[in-house]
Amino acid sequence: MLALKHALSAKAKSNALIVLDKAEIAEPKTAQLRGKFSGLGLSNALIIDGVTLQENFVFAARNIPNVDVLPVQGINVYDILRRDKLVLTRAALEALEARFK
């Protein structure tokens, strides 16, 4: 638990943490999602969503190199540290806050 807190803190201190309202996309189109990621400067990122993941988002993201998508229960230190950016949804943030209380 302490290692996870430290990894999250390190991302926040290095401005490598982004918070989004949700990780959803209308259609499972990789090109569309890649365009959105480019706009956010995400070329090497770990995206953590809530307990359930939207299928369209997962399908579109799985074809993008250096981008991983995990549900909040799958969050781990290794994946956080091996990606340049960490993206948390509001649902993931709320789940993590509850977990650390």
Side-chain angles (χ1 to χ4, degrees):
M1 184 77 90
L2 184 58
L4 183 58
K5 283 184 181 180
H6 183 1
L8 292 169
S9 177
K11 288 294 182 190
K13 286 179 185 173
S14 65
N15 291 324
L17 176 65
I18 297 171
V19 178
L20 299 177
D21 283 333
K22 53 191 170 186
E24 294 181 359
I25 193 166
E27 299 177 67
K29 305 271 186 192
T30 300
Q32 185 180 17
L33 189 58
R34 187 179 280 130
K36 288 184 180 213
F37 285 173
S38 291
L40 294 171
L42 300 177
S43 60
N44 187 316
L46 172 63
I47 300 155
I48 305 291
D49 199 358
V51 175
T52 58
L53 303 173
Q54 187 209 31
E55 275 188 12
N56 286 347
F57 190 88
V58 173
F59 289 150
R62 71 180 173 190
N63 294 322
I64 302 174
N66 301 315
V67 171
D68 298 316
V69 180
L70 293 173
V72 71
Q73 62 270 27
I75 194 169
N76 64 80
V77 174
Y78 174 74
D79 284 329
I80 291 171
L81 296 179
R82 76 186 189 113
R83 296 292 177 214
D84 294 342
K85 299 278 187 181
L86 174 62
V87 180
L88 298 174
T89 63
R90 297 253 180 240
L93 208 50
E94 290 169 7
L96 286 170
E97 287 173 349
R99 184 172 170 180
F100 291 138
K101 283 187 180 184

